[in-house]
Amino acid sequence: MKRSMQWIADFVLAAAIVGGGWSIFAPRSPRALPPPPQRTEALPEPAGPAERETPPSRSSPRSIASLLGWRPPAAPAAVDAKPQPPARPEWLKFLGYVVGPDGQPSYAFKDQRSGSVFSVRPGQTSKGWRLVEVRGAEFLLELAGLSYLVGEGD
């Protein structure tokens, strides 16, 4: 009985191997391909190389950069359209003016905070001060981006 059980197991295993080999190596009938679809519309004739249109480019530097995490800079904050009126400092005094040999006046001012005296011509700079404009009896001075308005009688 022991021997017959082993023969039966060997027979089943051999039958499985032969059956698998037959399914792999057995000749098959050729498959028929389906017929190609029929087109009813006429195709345009291919254009020559000079007549071909180039496809539109779908990428731009901005689109590629956005893929890499780049974002356009934020719009600058709205700047006040009205400039600040110039300050009228009590510590800045007009001393007088001198006309030079070229006929251009040079105006003298005193900064009472530091005690320094400086002389400037219109459009020129002296000790950081720039005389922007002379308005009759008033002078528009600028220091470090700030504007100051000084009168003759101040």
Side-chain angles (χ1 to χ4, degrees):
M1 178 85 172
K2 280 186 172 180
R3 286 186 147 232
S4 63
M5 292 293 271
Q6 188 175 6
W7 287 354
I8 292 173
D10 288 343
F11 179 72
V12 170
L13 183 61
I17 291 173
V18 169
W22 179 259
S23 66
I24 293 174
F25 297 112
R28 294 190 180 132
S29 61
R31 290 186 182 171
L33 296 176
Q38 299 293 326
R39 292 191 175 170
T40 56
E41 58 189 59
L43 294 175
E45 294 183 20
E51 297 175 3
R52 287 187 186 156
E53 293 183 23
T54 58
S57 175
R58 293 189 178 158
S59 62
S60 68
R62 283 187 180 262
S63 64
I64 294 170
S66 67
L67 292 173
L68 301 173
W70 178 83
R71 299 285 180 252
V79 179
D80 293 336
K82 231 170 46 171
Q84 295 285 336
R88 290 189 168 266
E90 294 180 8
W91 45 266
L92 190 59
K93 299 293 180 192
F94 171 70
L95 298 177
Y97 67 95
V98 177
V99 177
D102 59 353
Q104 290 285 339
S106 181
Y107 301 94
F109 298 91
K110 182 174 184 177
D111 182 352
Q112 294 180 343
R113 295 180 303 181
S114 64
S116 67
V117 176
F118 59 94
S119 174
V120 290
R121 289 184 168 190
Q124 292 184 344
T125 304
S126 173
K127 296 185 181 179
W129 289 93
R130 186 170 76 92
L131 182 57
V132 178
E133 183 181 355
V134 178
R135 302 176 180 170
E138 291 184 327
F139 305 94
L140 183 60
L141 293 160
E142 191 176 81
L143 176 68
L146 298 174
S147 297
Y148 300 98
L149 191 62
V150 178
E152 278 187 19
D154 291 347

